[in-house]
Amino acid sequence: APEDEAGARRLMRLLQARGDRTQALQVFEQLARRLANDYQAAPSAETKALARELREPATDRPAPPVVATPGTASSAGPDVSPSAPSGLRTPDSVVAALETAARSAPSVAVEDVPQVTATAPRPPRRRAVILAALATAAAVATLALHPWNPDSPSLLAGGQLAPRDRIIVADFQNHTRDSLLAGAVGTALRLELAQSPAIQVMSASAVQGVRRLMGDTDPRTPLSEGVAHDVALREGVKVVVEGDVSSVGSGWRLSAQLVAAGTGEPLASVRETATDSTRLLDAVDRLARRLRRRIGETSRAVGETPPLSRVSTGSLDALQRFSQAQYAIDVLGDRAQGRRLLEEAVALDTGFAMAWRALSVLYGSLGPNTAMVDAATRAYRHRERLPGRERQLVTAAYHEIVTRDYAAALAAYDTQLVATPEDPGVLAAAGYIHFRLRQFGEAEELYRRSMELDSSKTPMYFGLIESRINRGRLAPAREALAAFRRHFPGNHFDLWEEIYLAAAVGDYAAAEGHARQLLAVAPDDADHRGEANHALASLALLRGRAQESERLRRQAMATYEQNGDLEGYFGEGLALATAEIRLRRRPEQARQLLAEMLSRHPLDSLAPADRPYVDLGIVYAELGDLPRAAEMQAALERYDLVRGRLYAAEWRRVRGAIQMARGRYLEAQAELRQAAADEECALCALPALARSYDLGGRPDSAIAVYQRYLTTPWMKRLENDALNLGTIDIRLAELYQDRGDLTEAAALRRRIGELWRTGDVEFRQAAARAGERTSAE
């Protein structure tokens, strides 16, 4: 790459270090001529500054070591006499290599190289020229003596690698005018090598996590070969893949080699060319297949692997965006940027199944539901383009999101884990299904195993932390949060987990502090701003400050609406309406709020799957508007939104609320018991179930369910407690009082008095009335 200025400057400094400033200046002049002739350009200011430095006279240059002439004994230099030791004959291949090296070395006139004695040092330039020629000759001679033999043992057969060992793929060096090309080629090679069952490719996010632990201040910079070897040594990885991309006429030349970590010994080297951009991924595919054969896969196994362009994408631009999106999501925690990049990727290649699957997972957090279902369906439609592992992941996501057949989803993960039991991505994905099914013990174990294998992805930490919170294992949850902070300093999702942990132990001051910190550190991030206002609104309502809570809820609604997140918008609005009904006893204000929201965003302007039928049905039932509540229940059935255990449970909660509003408490109890058992939310159905027992004349059952609500661990307890804890404490105290449990009743009334001590007047008065009953009795 003679036009590569960075390489030219490196060569100039190496020559300068050897004392050959003249030759270094010749490199500069050759570069300047090439840039002028080929590109009508001049060297950069940095390169020119180096040339000026080289032209200055050297006053402190050390005298070079003495080099003896052939046949002269000297310890100062090597014996390069033509007389070889007895019994050692120079092979013809070495002679040819030396002749080739001599021809390619800088030309030196014979008269410029006088005879030198042991006491007369050779002029620095001439010494450097000869040493450079000898070094080049030695390297070429080594290859001539030990050429790579395609039939030589593979890395697996030779013991350099063991089955399923990890390897690291360094970022390719770029010797083209396209600054993004090397990144796309490196991503493509990683995807191709990842199809190999013989090895594991260390993910880019895993490497970046290690770099952060090594003190790298910016692990997002390209993974140079030197840094890749440092990471390999730290992690016990045996082989690093190095490569480069160079321009060759209108096409490109790709080269890659397998290098032993630590020693730097080349183990295998391959090269391919692409005549134009349409053939570049095919060249990467050929390159990777040759590397896989050298690693130790059979030609038949490699040949059965579908081409890279078929299992991923034929678009380099789409591939590059996919790679950038994975880093944004897994390492930076920037889901909005990840979503944008993935949407750009699938716009460039509508059949890019891997990107569609990633989008379906992301839409599960950012919404809307329709987009999530559509993305999972598109990924499944193009699953035949995927390698086996990715095909199982897409199949599982399709059953989880579209058919809602969770047994089929887990079966797909189990099938893949039989083939790759140490696959961290599959373990974590299976953990998420168990988490949704409230099988938190299984989820925790799967997340833990996944993180032992790859601790570089943020979702695994969240799954582990939240599984432990939901099991009441708060100390281990804090340990996992501390590990998250070590691996991802500056990732503000740690504050979300801090809020969950603080709410789990009733430390509302700490929860508020974390929410305000989240608001301060991420003022421009709609995701964080919405969550912070949501938490602060819940905390205000929990403390009886309903007016403050309303202001914060409306701020959160505005944030979600501006960000196009109507699920978040309706979620905050319906929470506000519920508070008006249950806590403030102002049903008309709740009706007005519903009318306002539905006027801004009519239900028929949304896709059926994005309409908040469940929460609307419950609010209408609590308002006594049974026709509208029944309409919401019927819509869930009409649009087939009750399929699957989790969604059927939500439908049962709506039906239970309607039956309770009708006074049919036995029917309500049956529906709400099933909802409480099956729903994803561990707490959501319990307050209504307890009220159905209470209103149905079964106080002991009501007390048991209220207590179950108070003692069930749940990561999102704060938002549930905001709407339920105050009324539960007051009613449960009355039930205990009626049963004669005066100590329990007094404790609950003291808690509500403390909670609402700084609340609005109506809340302080309610707490005082409860306290007066305790004093009177």
Side-chain angles (χ1 to χ4, degrees):
E3 72 280 2
D4 182 356
E5 283 199 61
R9 287 194 299 272
R10 189 173 180 185
L11 176 57
M12 291 162 67
R13 290 200 180 280
L14 286 169
L15 291 168
Q16 179 189 23
R18 287 194 178 266
D20 194 347
R21 295 184 178 224
T22 304
Q23 182 67 13
L25 284 168
Q26 287 183 2
V27 172
F28 170 76
E29 291 162 2
Q30 291 169 1
L31 173 69
R33 283 196 298 273
R34 174 174 287 275
L35 291 175
N37 294 336
D38 294 354
Y39 304 107
Q40 293 76 51
S44 67
E46 183 180 357
T47 308
K48 290 178 180 178
L50 177 56
R52 285 195 299 272
E53 176 187 330
L54 291 165
R55 289 192 180 100
E56 296 174 359
T59 57
D60 57 350
R61 187 169 60 219
V66 175
V67 179
T69 57
T72 303
S74 171
S75 61
D79 180 1
V80 291
S81 73
S83 301
S86 175
L88 182 61
R89 178 178 177 274
T90 306
D92 293 342
S93 58
V94 176
V95 173
L98 289 167
E99 290 174 348
T100 302
R103 285 195 298 270
S104 62
S107 58
V108 183
V110 174
E111 56 268 29
D112 288 343
V113 189
Q115 294 294 312
V116 198
T117 66
T119 57
R122 187 181 304 277
R125 173 182 176 274
R126 296 167 188 144
R127 173 179 176 274
V129 169
I130 291 176
L131 288 177
L134 287 172
T136 305
V140 177
T142 299
L143 290 175
L145 284 167
H146 305 286
W148 172 60
N149 181 358
D151 297 322
S152 61
S154 69
L155 272 61
L156 290 172
Q160 292 98 334
L161 282 174
R164 299 300 295 164
D165 264 355
R166 292 181 299 169
I167 67 171
I168 293 175
V169 181
D171 285 337
F172 272 42
Q173 296 185 36
N174 191 23
H175 302 301
T176 74
R177 298 187 188 92
D178 184 349
S179 60
L180 297 178
L181 186 62
V185 169
T187 298
L189 184 67
R190 288 186 185 95
L191 287 173
E192 173 67 29
L193 292 177
Q195 295 191 72
S196 170
I199 54 166
Q200 297 183 77
V201 178
M202 197 168 174
S203 70
S205 55
V207 171
Q208 288 151 356
V210 175
R211 290 175 66 179
R212 188 177 289 107
L213 291 176
M214 293 168 63
D216 192 333
T217 56
D218 190 1
R220 293 172 294 181
T221 56
L223 179 64
S224 67
E225 294 167 0
V227 174
H229 279 273
D230 290 342
V231 172
L233 289 173
R234 178 186 174 96
E235 293 295 295
V237 175
K238 300 172 185 175
V239 172
V240 174
V241 180
E242 302 173 358
D244 63 69
V245 186
S246 303
S247 297
V248 180
S250 61
W252 293 278
R253 181 183 64 213
L254 315 178
S255 64
Q257 59 180 342
L258 301 167
V259 180
T263 67
E265 176 190 358
L267 304 174
S269 181
V270 295
R271 179 178 294 177
E272 290 290 342
T273 58
T275 55
D276 57 52
S277 60
T278 63
R279 293 174 172 82
L280 191 55
L281 282 179
D282 291 336
V284 176
D285 188 71
R286 294 193 302 272
L287 195 78
R289 288 168 185 269
R290 292 176 64 189
L291 287 176
R292 289 170 63 183
R293 285 194 289 268
R294 283 297 296 129
I295 286 168
E297 284 189 75
T298 65
S299 297
R300 177 179 178 182
V302 174
E304 289 174 349
T305 304
L308 178 66
S309 58
R310 189 163 76 81
V311 301
S312 60
T313 175
S315 166
L316 275 173
D317 289 341
L319 193 62
Q320 186 70 11
R321 284 166 172 78
F322 175 78
S323 176
Q324 292 170 336
Q326 294 301 103
Y327 178 71
I329 297 165
D330 292 340
V331 177
L332 300 181
D334 191 339
R335 298 188 293 185
Q337 182 186 5
R339 172 179 174 171
R340 176 181 59 78
L341 288 164
L342 288 171
E343 287 172 343
E344 291 175 2
V346 295
L348 290 164
D349 180 0
T350 57
F352 194 174
M354 293 170 71
W356 280 118
R357 175 186 172 269
L359 268 175
S360 72
V361 173
L362 198 58
Y363 287 142
S365 301
L366 300 181
N369 288 329
T370 302
M372 175 180 66
V373 171
D374 179 65
T377 303
R378 288 174 182 268
Y380 189 72
R381 185 181 302 151
H382 297 291
R383 66 190 182 281
E384 295 307 319
R385 290 185 59 174
L386 295 169
R389 174 187 182 275
E390 292 296 328
R391 191 179 307 127
Q392 294 295 349
L393 291 175
V394 162
T395 300
Y398 178 76
H399 286 303
E400 177 195 350
I401 294 169
V402 181
T403 70
R404 298 170 181 170
D405 185 343
Y406 307 111
L410 286 172
Y413 290 134
D414 289 343
T415 298
Q416 185 57 37
L417 286 172
V418 170
T420 56
E422 300 289 292
D423 189 316
V426 179
L427 288 167
Y432 178 66
I433 298 287
H434 285 289
F435 184 96
R436 294 197 69 196
L437 296 174
R438 284 169 36 195
Q439 298 163 354
F440 300 123
E442 293 88 338
E444 178 184 352
E445 177 59 18
L446 288 165
Y447 280 124
R448 185 192 62 76
R449 287 172 55 198
S450 175
M451 283 180 55
E452 285 179 352
L453 296 163
D454 182 358
S455 59
S456 67
K457 296 183 178 179
T458 58
M460 298 177 185
Y461 289 86
F462 302 147
L464 183 62
I465 294 167
E466 293 163 12
S467 295
R468 288 175 171 175
I469 293 174
N470 292 345
R471 297 186 71 195
R473 290 167 39 80
L474 301 186
R478 283 218 161 273
E479 291 172 5
L481 178 56
F484 173 80
R485 284 204 173 101
R486 288 195 300 273
H487 281 79
F488 303 97
N491 186 314
H492 301 312
F493 277 100
D494 65 329
L495 295 171
W496 293 46
E497 304 299 336
E498 286 283 14
I499 292 169
Y500 300 156
L501 280 164
V505 295
D507 189 346
Y508 303 126
E512 181 178 0
H514 296 310
R516 294 197 182 283
Q517 185 182 357
L518 181 61
L519 203 59
V521 297
D524 299 324
D525 188 311
D527 211 7
H528 291 319
R529 192 167 68 251
E531 180 66 15
N533 280 324
H534 168 78
L536 290 170
S538 296
L539 283 162
L541 186 61
L542 185 60
R543 290 160 163 170
R545 301 199 289 264
Q547 295 176 26
E548 177 187 345
S549 178
E550 179 179 358
R551 175 178 58 80
L552 290 164
R553 290 240 186 254
R554 289 188 179 276
Q555 287 180 10
M557 289 172 70
T559 296
Y560 289 129
E561 187 177 41
Q562 290 164 9
N563 202 40
D565 182 358
L566 292 184
E567 182 180 358
Y569 169 84
F570 275 107
E572 295 299 324
L574 289 166
L576 181 54
T578 302
E580 294 289 354
I581 299 167
R582 293 183 190 171
L583 293 168
R584 305 188 76 182
R585 313 293 184 189
R586 303 196 311 178
E588 287 308 314
Q589 280 80 356
R591 289 190 181 90
Q592 183 178 343
L593 179 60
L594 293 178
E596 174 190 325
M597 288 192 297
L598 293 173
S599 173
R600 291 177 68 87
H601 301 286
L603 288 182
D604 58 9
S605 69
L606 305 174
D610 298 332
R611 299 171 189 172
Y613 287 130
V614 171
D615 291 333
L616 272 173
I618 292 169
V619 170
Y620 280 133
E622 292 190 17
L623 282 171
D625 192 341
L626 295 182
R628 280 199 175 93
E631 184 182 337
M632 299 300 105
Q633 178 191 327
L636 287 168
E637 299 161 2
R638 182 168 62 253
Y639 292 114
D640 194 23
L641 299 175
V642 298
R643 190 190 320 166
R645 164 186 153 178
L646 304 181
Y647 296 87
E650 291 185 339
W651 172 85
R652 288 184 183 280
R653 190 149 57 90
V654 176
R655 181 171 170 77
I658 293 172
Q659 296 292 68
M660 189 154 52
R662 288 173 174 164
R664 298 175 180 174
Y665 302 122
L666 287 176
E667 291 93 331
Q669 291 161 18
E671 299 293 354
L672 292 169
R673 271 198 306 269
Q674 195 64 48
D678 291 346
E679 202 170 10
E680 185 171 0
C681 172
L683 299 182
C684 294
L686 294 178
L689 177 59
R691 284 196 298 274
S692 71
Y693 284 128
D694 195 357
L695 294 171
R698 298 175 61 184
D700 288 345
S701 295
I703 289 173
V705 177
Y706 279 135
Q707 282 292 356
R708 180 178 160 195
Y709 174 90
L710 295 175
T711 57
T712 297
W714 182 240
M715 53 177 275
K716 293 193 174 181
R717 168 167 286 284
L718 181 60
E719 59 194 49
N720 284 276
D721 281 354
L723 295 170
N724 296 293
L725 185 60
T727 56
I728 286 176
D729 277 358
I730 290 174
R731 181 54 187 154
L732 188 54
E734 292 171 349
L735 290 171
Y736 275 129
Q737 189 88 25
D738 294 342
R739 202 167 71 174
D741 293 337
L742 303 184
T743 302
E744 294 285 355
L748 289 165
R749 286 170 176 146
R750 280 195 299 272
R751 182 166 70 180
I752 197 63
E754 181 59 28
L755 270 179
W756 288 353
R757 179 174 53 84
T758 60
D760 299 340
V761 172
E762 58 197 291
F763 288 85
R764 294 201 306 272
Q765 289 174 345
R769 286 194 298 270
E772 287 169 1
R773 180 173 178 184
T774 300
S775 301
E777 299 187 19

